[in-house]
Amino acid sequence: MTVYLVGAGPGDPGLLTVRGRELLSRADVVVYDRLASPRLLDLAPESAERIDVGKAPDRASLGQAEINTLLVERGRGADTVVRLKGGDPFVFGRGGEEAEALAAAGIPFEVVPGVTSAVAAAAYAGIPVTHRGVSTHVTVVTGHEDPAKGETTVDWAALAAAGGTLVILMGAGRLGEITAGLLAGGLPADTPATAVRWGTTPRQQTVRAALGTIADAAIEAPAAVIVGDVAALDLSWFERRPLFGRRIAVTRAREQASELRARLEELGAEAVEVPAIVVKPKPFDLPDLGSYGWLVFTSANGVDAFFDRGLMPAGLDTRALGALRVAAIGPGTAERLRQRGVEADLMPERFVAESLVEAFPPPAGADEGVLIARAAAARDVLPDGLAERGYRVDILEVYETFAAEPDPEVVDWVRRGEVDAITFTSSSTVTNLMAVLGGVPDPQPAVVAIGPVTAETARETGLRVDAVATEHTIDGLVRALVDLLAG
Ligand code: SAH
């Protein structure tokens, strides 16, 4: 049908355009290569065919002619084809050649510009490519052509004479020859030069030097090199975020990890998921809710599983709660209830079972019932404590947790201590991760727990606990982590 040449942006998945996201979300076929952030592929429907035409260690990449043919073939079908290209498709992306091939074959195509690394890598390094009073023009040039061989079409001497800002893409491997060409063209050796490798990603690395010395840093691809007076500007912000450059393991179930991951990434961290558990709703028969005074939730999972009624087709109508009062163990659970249209009547001061027991008022009558909707296999503190306080307690098992099968590469990083910290949000994440690891990592990364119970479980498995959140929420956990690593 139509082939969309979509700019994927320079790396940070947040730099995809709204139009690009919309097209990805209804793509039938996605054709991508190495520079497109793998995270963007998750935006395509699960059923979409994903075709990798980039280089991989085990095979050669498709040549440009083969890619063109592939796009033309796929474009002939009824499918929506998204060709994802790093940065902007028409800035050194060979997108022009793909468009030519499509046009020649009479295949309808559209171009969705992207945020080019030529501007974005500089911006994320704190360098405006033009700046009032410093530089009035910017030239983006490929460094791919070897100036040492006479056949180059890039006139480095002319570029040197033009002044302004020079942004060199694809130049990492030839920086020695390129800088020599610019120096020979008359640019002073002390002209500021800054290289930005893996710009806009958690691995971003910035090397600030001068034209005469920048090649000595032996920067590897992919890097953008900025030459000119603006390269001395240092409006650094990206690399100053408190968790920049830190790799943090998130052990929550995949379904729940995204909130924590987003918070960590916003602070600059590379969040890697080692989902230690998988949450599965458990079918259950709804008891007579009218026979209880209280309904208690100990996790957001419990809320979801309860209201979705396990695997049953129709979810629960909140009116079925009638006059039941509802208790939530903490703000995350209360928030999930709110999303379901239910305001919690009770939340303890500290977000642990012990505190919830204390927060309950004395039973209203001799036989006041409490129904606890929670995971199969959970601690007995809550039911025992409430029974002791005179309540009739029933447990409704609404979901189960299973050990997950995490990405082996990430497991290896954790095992070898190649992460800066491991975060635990519940005791089950501790026991399941330790089962996956088979022992304490060596060297052990920092361990941060959401609360004292989780911390205790971690200690029991032999882990050293470096920080425990004072507020037992995701926010509290993140704060503890920042205090530990950045403080
Ligand atoms: N169309 C792309 C450029 C493709 S050429 C764009 O508009 O950004 C590939 C070159 O782009 C790399 O060799 C490198 O010089 C640059 N590049 C791509 N992503 C980059 C990144 N995240 N950081 C720095 N440079 C990058």
Side-chain angles (χ1 to χ4, degrees):
M1 209 163 62
T2 302
V3 177
Y4 297 92
L5 302 174
V6 176
D12 179 344
L15 295 179
L16 177 72
T17 63
V18 174
R19 173 77 174 146
R21 183 171 65 184
E22 192 244 320
L23 288 169
L24 263 180
S25 74
R26 58 185 174 87
D28 300 302
V29 181
V30 184
V31 180
Y32 65 99
D33 43 34
R34 189 176 64 105
L35 278 178
S37 162
R39 191 85 68 77
L40 297 181
L41 295 177
D42 296 342
L43 298 173
E46 221 163 288
S47 58
E49 185 186 356
R50 291 157 167 79
I51 305 176
D52 181 0
V53 294
K55 286 188 201 106
D58 54 337
R59 62 178 164 74
S61 56
L62 293 189
Q64 189 61 49
E66 291 165 290
I67 295 174
N68 295 353
T69 307
L70 176 77
L71 292 178
V72 167
E73 271 169 14
R74 290 318 178 102
R76 284 220 170 91
D79 290 345
T80 295
V81 180
V82 169
R83 165 64 168 134
L84 257 192
K85 300 185 67 74
D88 180 274
F90 279 5
V91 177
F92 299 128
R94 305 192 72 171
E97 292 161 61
E98 293 173 12
E100 279 175 345
L102 291 164
I107 310 287
F109 66 91
E110 290 185 22
V111 182
V112 181
V115 175
T116 177
S117 63
V119 171
Y124 273 51
I127 297 172
V129 290
T130 67
H131 195 63
R132 201 174 150 81
V134 179
S135 171
T136 56
H137 68 268
V138 52
T139 309
V140 180
V141 61
T142 172
H144 200 63
E145 303 188 20
D146 190 344
K149 299 182 190 151
E151 64 211 35
T152 176
T153 52
V154 176
D155 186 345
W156 296 101
L159 289 172
T165 306
L166 199 57
V167 179
I168 304 157
L169 301 187
M170 296 180 282
R174 296 198 172 89
L175 219 43
E177 293 95 315
I178 292 168
T179 53
L182 291 169
L183 292 167
L187 268 187
D190 62 356
T191 306
T194 295
V196 187
R197 181 166 190 241
W198 284 117
T200 81
T201 75
R203 310 197 244 170
Q204 175 171 310
Q205 196 189 346
T206 302
V207 177
R208 292 170 179 281
L211 187 59
T213 55
I214 187 92
D216 302 340
I219 292 125
E220 286 172 46
V225 181
I226 304 125
V227 178
D229 288 338
V230 292
L233 295 172
D234 188 0
L235 303 166
S236 176
W237 58 276
F238 184 68
E239 294 177 30
R240 289 198 184 175
R241 293 172 311 157
L243 295 180
F244 177 77
R246 305 293 198 150
R247 184 184 278 167
I248 314 290
V250 172
T251 58
R252 302 196 95 184
R254 194 162 279 136
E255 303 77 25
Q256 305 172 290
S258 57
E259 184 197 348
L260 178 54
R261 188 171 82 178
R263 296 275 290 112
L264 294 173
E265 287 176 350
E266 219 152 88
L267 294 167
E270 177 190 1
V272 294
E273 285 181 28
V274 235
I277 54 177
V278 179
V279 175
K280 258 208 197 130
K282 203 179 155 187
F284 59 87
D285 290 323
L286 196 64
D288 172 15
L289 294 178
S291 69
Y292 297 95
W294 286 92
L295 175 60
V296 182
F297 291 99
T298 57
S299 70
N301 282 325
V303 174
D304 284 343
F306 180 79
F307 286 100
D308 295 340
R309 285 196 68 184
L311 303 175
M312 278 168 252
L316 186 72
D317 185 328
T318 50
R319 286 173 296 183
L321 299 186
L324 260 181
R325 278 171 296 169
V326 176
I329 198 157
T333 308
E335 180 52 36
R336 193 62 60 87
L337 279 166
R338 202 167 295 128
Q339 288 165 5
R340 299 272 179 176
V342 177
E343 198 62 39
D345 300 285
L346 181 71
M347 194 173 80
E349 212 162 275
R350 292 180 306 115
F351 313 132
V352 293
E354 288 79 357
S355 187
L356 184 56
V357 171
E358 283 167 27
F360 262 83
D367 191 39
E368 193 176 13
V370 174
L371 183 64
I372 304 175
R374 66 169 205 189
R379 294 196 307 146
D380 291 327
V381 175
L382 188 60
D384 289 356
L386 289 174
E388 224 161 88
R389 300 216 33 205
Y391 283 97
R392 170 173 57 83
V393 180
D394 283 326
I395 290 172
L396 183 63
E397 296 185 352
V398 294
Y399 69 96
E400 294 171 277
T401 58
F402 299 92
E405 271 177 51
D407 179 347
E409 184 183 20
V410 177
V411 171
D412 274 347
W413 286 341
V414 176
R415 220 177 247 147
R416 294 194 300 255
E418 290 171 12
V419 299
D420 294 284
I422 307 174
T423 56
F424 289 118
T425 53
S426 68
S427 289
S428 54
T429 61
V430 176
T431 37
N432 289 317
L433 179 73
M434 291 306 278
V436 170
L437 296 180
V440 174
D442 184 23
Q444 193 212 291
V447 164
V448 185
I450 198 163
V453 177
T454 304
E456 194 42 46
T457 308
R459 283 188 201 102
E460 280 165 12
T461 66
L463 287 166
R464 178 192 75 243
V465 176
D466 299 275
V468 182
T470 33
E471 196 199 279
H472 313 315
T473 60
I474 294 298
D475 274 350
L477 178 72
V478 170
R479 225 167 294 137
L481 183 70
V482 170
D483 287 346
L484 180 72
L485 293 185

